[in-house]
Amino acid sequence: MPASSATPPSAASSAPVVTRFAPSPTGYLHIGGGRTALFNWLFARGRGGKFLLRIEDTDRERSTPEATAAILRGLTWLGLDWDGDVVSQFDRKDRHAEVAHQMLARGTAYKCFSTQDEIAAFRAKAEAEGASYAVFQSPWRDADPARFPDSPYVIRMKAPRTGESHIDDQVQGRVVIKNDTLDDMIVLRSDGTPTYMLAVVVDDHDMGVTHVIRGDDHLNNAARQQMVYTAMDWAVPVWAHIPLIHGPDGKKLSKRHGATGVEEYQVMGYPAAGMRNYLSRLGWAHGDMEIFTSQEAMKVFDLKGIGKAPARLDFKKLENTCGHHMAMTDDAALLHELTAYLAAAEKPALTSAQSDLLLRGMYCVKDRAKTFPDLIDKAHFMLISRPIVPDEAAAKSLDAVSRGILKTLTPRLQNASWTKDALEPILNQIVAETGLGFGKLAAPIRAALAGKTATPSVFDMMLVIGRNETLARLEEASA
RNA sequence: GGCCCGUUCGUCUAUCGGUUAGGACACCUGGUUUUCAACCAGGUAAGAGGGGUUCGACUCCCCUACGGGCUGCCA
């Protein structure tokens, strides 16, 4: 191994783009993981490339099928579709071992018979001698095979010990790592199973991954992984290590910040398109572009536009972004998503009558809603049925005087043409007759039709629920 | 401890040595209005600190502070 290994040739930029998302199935899909997947998806889809999914389940202790299922659900909800089958890293362990042995044969890796106790002792000794950092140096690195004992061994990389390595990263720039900080990492455990460092490289290579876009917690690992590419004479992929997402307080995002799982956002009722928009603007920008569809993002998404600083989650902006997407989505699609939300949130499903009405009245609520719970709240008047029970505030606007006014209104609506143009003069007429402001008339109508004080326009409500229901609710309230 | 990465309005960001440092969210004021929103107009608000380099630095270099990551037979 040369003291200073030059960067191996990067994957040809003209080759079709292949990206991947490779989560380990130890829990739900983290919001940061969701964004990583999104970047990979945008990058590949925007270039006619492929976006692959691989589950890094080599840690048998911590990997669970439930976690894999949760990750797939999260990605599916976010609308991030992947190409081909989901690859299980564990299933490829024989291939990983094969590569480890090939490196053994090439002399770029070696068998190490040191026990874990011996390694611990090595570190303890180095520490006792005042060394602040102890890279384990195996005595077996250049040992004569004739001396090999008949005991378990691991396979380690023969890492360069002097000079420096560098990785050329699309986000981080050129990062230089001194080789004496790189240890002879283990690639095959004593039980014959591969470590992550080996498996990830072998899989990325075999799957034809051209661009590795992942969290910058892997930045240092990239230098180690590059050793494997070099040892096998494989083309190194283009690296792009993106910063992690932090909580509102700037600390690493954790449970105490609230929602960290993608599915939690689904349950809270954020639309997936809004999530994608918001998440893509977290750490990435394209000029002043703020509100955009994923199709639009694909056209301009570029690794160069990713910042190096970690971004904080801001729920206000998330809501605002989602509000734009609610308004942008067509009525039928929105209803469909709402149905999925109700199921995910384990709330009662809509009856077909409610769905029909909602579709008819979607136009007057979607512009003002930011989330699905918000939408439901604003669509309250469409979802309830008589008797309408007014809430406390609404009840106040149904006093004797107001009920009297409603009584005079009802007969006039009996034969009115049911359009806003026809209804408006009727209400205005009553306003003129009573000498009250329009607001004084609108309030009891709102209370009667929706049982609430905050509702869409009274005309929209009347139009949406129709003449018969309007009259019934008005009569009921004025009785 | 060592190494690596980062630091522009409260937040997300634009800026690729020369700008009145721009936009978005949030916030405040005003307008509109039929309530809540939405919408329209305007406003407050930023280059972590200290040294350099330069005619000129947010932009390049160094130091400090703070934050993050890696340092496993975890991924």
Side-chain angles (χ1 to χ4, degrees), chain A residues 34-57:
Chain A
R35 188 189 55 150
T36 301
L38 173 66
F39 282 6
N40 276 283
W41 180 78
L42 285 174
F43 188 76
R45 290 278 178 268
R47 273 150 241 266
K50 286 192 187 311
F51 170 61
L52 309 177
L53 179 59
R54 181 176 72 234
I55 302 296
E56 312 236 304
D57 50 0

Side-chain angles (χ1 to χ4, degrees), chain A residues 142-166:
Chain A
D142 298 306
D144 179 358
R147 283 179 47 228
F148 284 176
D150 182 22
S151 57
Y153 61 88
V154 298
I155 296 181
R156 287 181 182 274
M157 291 302 295
K158 203 174 274 186
R161 286 190 169 165
T162 58
E164 51 191 31
S165 302
H166 57 257

Side-chain angles (χ1 to χ4, degrees), chain A residues 110-152:
Chain A
Y110 63 94
K111 293 180 180 178
C112 170
F113 295 86
S114 296
T115 64
Q116 296 197 50
D117 286 345
E118 285 168 358
I119 297 168
F122 176 95
R123 294 209 172 104
K125 180 162 174 283
E127 212 168 293
E129 287 170 355
S132 55
Y133 179 76
V135 171
F136 176 64
Q137 304 213 334
S138 171
W140 302 97
R141 177 166 159 131
D142 298 306
D144 179 358
R147 283 179 47 228
F148 284 176
D150 182 22
S151 57

